[in-house]
Amino acid sequence: MKNLRLVQLTLMTAGALTGLVGLGILLMPDGFYVSYGITVPESASLRSELKTLGALLMLASCLMLAGVIKPSLQGTALIVAIGTYLALVAGRLLGLIVDGLPSTGILTAWAVEAALLVLVVIAGVIAKAQKTTLPLR
């Protein structure tokens, strides 16, 4: 039971944070990106791309949070969380290698994303162990 709460708390944290970031990008890209030291130019194409990312993060957030609300979706929610945070961490690593050192804000986001990736992987392992030790019905 304690482990189940840890999995739910992890999904809730990852889902809420992903949703807040997605919402910020979707509705207020200028205000969101200025916190990273980035000025978003007046380009409809770029803004469209950013809003698409925000919407995708909102979808991932909803799927993560669905795993908290409906236990039968927990496995799917964990896969979405692991995939989302793995992509974010790997993308930032590739950016670091190819483009050089980003701003402190971006590095901080990367550290938070990496920590959440570790947490959702641990939650996935715990959830898998819980399911394999339950009696068959």
Side-chain angles (χ1 to χ4, degrees):
M1 186 62 136
K2 191 170 157 182
N3 288 340
L4 177 62
R5 290 194 192 280
L6 178 64
V7 172
Q8 288 178 322
L9 181 62
T10 301
L11 279 173
M12 193 180 310
T13 302
L17 186 59
T18 304
L20 287 173
V21 169
L23 196 61
I25 294 170
L26 189 60
L27 299 180
M28 306 170 296
D30 294 307
F32 178 82
Y33 282 104
V34 79
S35 68
Y36 289 137
I38 299 170
T39 302
V40 180
E42 291 297 325
S43 164
S45 296
L46 177 59
R47 288 173 179 275
S48 176
E49 285 297 308
L50 293 175
K51 288 180 187 334
T52 301
L53 173 61
L56 184 60
L57 290 173
M58 289 296 301
L59 174 63
S61 169
C62 289
L63 292 170
M64 289 178 218
L65 294 172
V68 175
I69 297 166
K70 188 165 181 167
S72 64
L73 294 175
Q74 189 178 77
T76 301
L78 285 165
I79 290 169
V80 169
I82 291 168
T84 299
Y85 281 96
L86 181 60
L88 291 169
V89 169
R92 292 199 194 275
L93 177 60
L94 180 62
L96 177 70
I97 293 167
V98 173
D99 303 320
L101 194 63
S103 70
T104 304
I106 298 286
L107 291 173
T108 302
W110 187 25
V112 170
E113 292 158 358
L116 279 168
L117 175 60
V118 169
L119 288 175
V120 295
V121 167
I122 290 169
V125 170
I126 289 170
K128 176 90 169 132
Q130 289 288 105
K131 291 196 185 329
T132 58
T133 57
L134 293 175
L136 298 174
R137 295 180 192 206

